Amino acid sequence: MLPWKRALRPLAALLLTATVAVVPATTAQAATATGSGWNDYSCKPSAAHPRPVVLVHGTFANSVDNWLGLAPYLKNRDYCVFSFDYGHLPGVPFFHGLGPIDKSAEQLKTYVDKVLAATGAAETDLVGHSQGGMMPRYYLKFLGGAAKVNALVGIAPSNHGTTLNGLTHLLAYFPGAADLLSTNTPALADQVAGSAFLTKLNEGGDTVPGVTYTVLATRYDEVVTPYRSQFLSGPGVRNVVIQDLCPLDLSEHAAIGLLDRIAFHEVANALDPAHARPTTCASAAG
């Protein structure tokens, strides 16, 4: 194996930790999601929760497996909940979020319009994990999404890219490695700290008027590093380190999005700040 291929292998391995608990979606899982009221296009938002929630999965994930924890959690709290697949690569089933991120944002735009048309709502709220917490910012900033979105909640989002604990700096030492990464998995290249995509996204400020932003980060994140690079600056932003709310929470990058009910409690608070309740370690039982 060539040296640069050996260098890329740990890079891919670390990114795959984002879906360590994820297995390929099956027809049965999809049926379970729909049968429980998640992705139910007949759902009409309640007066208490007037905006449908669109869940945006992360890199190497999909619209079902990424949300087996959070979607039922929100549905049980009377939200209309939806999710979709984006960023497909030809010949790669089940694992999505791999295509160019600007194109994925166009898919999000189309899907939001579909959800708003089905529910009759004027706005939606977006909740995303990893790439899914960052990609919607392109939609908000460049594709007119700010007029249709009230809030964006990012769970371990790659807002300013990642160094994967320094591994991405090695790409410059292996001729052709960065091009290979960009050609085969554009979304990974787009999420490297300092990429052209992230430079464009963050130029002129992290936020747009009219949208509130919440970032939920964990100190133990091993994928989006350093973890504080996830934070946003600007009006209407709340950055949260989950261990500041519960020091016992050991969730890393995958777990905070897949099964961390303390993080889920903070998501619910961000979606309904008027009725927010303090988040503590006890929130895991809520």
Side-chain angles (χ1 to χ4, degrees):
M1 181 179 292
L2 294 174
W4 56 264
K5 288 189 176 180
R6 284 196 292 269
L8 286 178
R9 187 162 61 181
L11 184 68
L14 277 175
L15 282 165
L16 279 167
T17 62
T19 51
V20 67
V22 178
V23 295
T26 64
T27 303
Q29 286 175 317
T32 299
T34 304
S36 67
W38 162 26
N39 280 341
D40 176 5
Y41 290 93
S42 68
C43 184
K44 299 300 179 184
S46 65
H49 300 307
R51 293 177 299 276
V53 178
V54 173
L55 304 178
V56 189
H57 66 73
T59 309
F60 287 114
N62 61 63
S63 62
V64 176
D65 295 323
N66 207 146
W67 305 118
L68 292 173
L70 182 58
Y73 183 95
L74 294 176
K75 180 62 187 176
N76 290 340
R77 284 154 180 78
D78 198 29
Y79 286 92
C80 291
V81 182
F82 301 89
S83 63
F84 74 115
D85 289 319
Y86 70 88
H88 311 85
L89 288 181
V92 182
F94 307 123
F95 301 104
H96 305 308
L98 298 173
I101 296 180
D102 57 347
K103 301 303 180 185
S104 293
E106 294 176 3
Q107 293 178 278
L108 172 62
K109 173 185 169 90
T110 299
Y111 190 74
V112 167
D113 288 346
K114 176 181 178 179
V115 168
L116 293 180
T119 60
E123 289 184 310
T124 187
D125 290 324
L126 306 178
V127 180
H129 181 209
S130 193
Q131 179 191 162
M134 173 272 289
M135 176 269 277
R137 293 179 48 228
Y138 192 94
Y139 165 55
L140 299 178
K141 196 169 188 177
F142 299 112
L143 301 177
K148 300 178 180 181
V149 175
N150 170 71
L152 169 62
V153 184
I155 305 172
S158 50
N159 281 320
H160 296 96
T162 179
T163 68
L164 281 173
N165 287 311
L167 279 178
T168 58
H169 297 310
L170 296 175
L171 292 175
Y173 295 96
F174 299 95
D179 290 340
L180 180 68
L181 191 66
S182 178
T183 300
N184 288 278
T185 50
L188 300 189
D190 284 346
Q191 291 177 89
V192 172
S195 71
F197 173 82
L198 288 169
T199 298
K200 177 181 178 179
L201 176 63
N202 294 313
E203 188 174 16
D206 292 345
T207 63
V208 297
V211 180
T212 62
Y213 298 80
T214 301
V215 174
L216 306 179
T218 170
R219 287 194 177 96
Y220 304 113
D221 201 312
E222 78 288 23
V223 174
V224 180
T225 61
Y227 74 88
R228 290 189 177 275
S229 69
Q230 301 170 24
F231 292 165
L232 297 173
S233 299
V237 171
R238 181 168 181 255
N239 295 311
V240 180
V241 179
I242 211 73
Q243 285 78 26
D244 289 344
L245 306 176
C246 176
L248 300 178
D249 192 323
L250 300 180
S251 292
E252 39 64 68
H253 185 83
I256 192 175
L258 295 173
L259 48 85
D260 188 341
R261 291 177 68 89
I262 294 169
F264 294 174
H265 191 270
E266 272 299 286
V267 170
N269 281 347
L271 296 176
D272 188 8
H275 299 96
R277 296 177 292 120
T279 300
T280 67
C281 293
S283 301

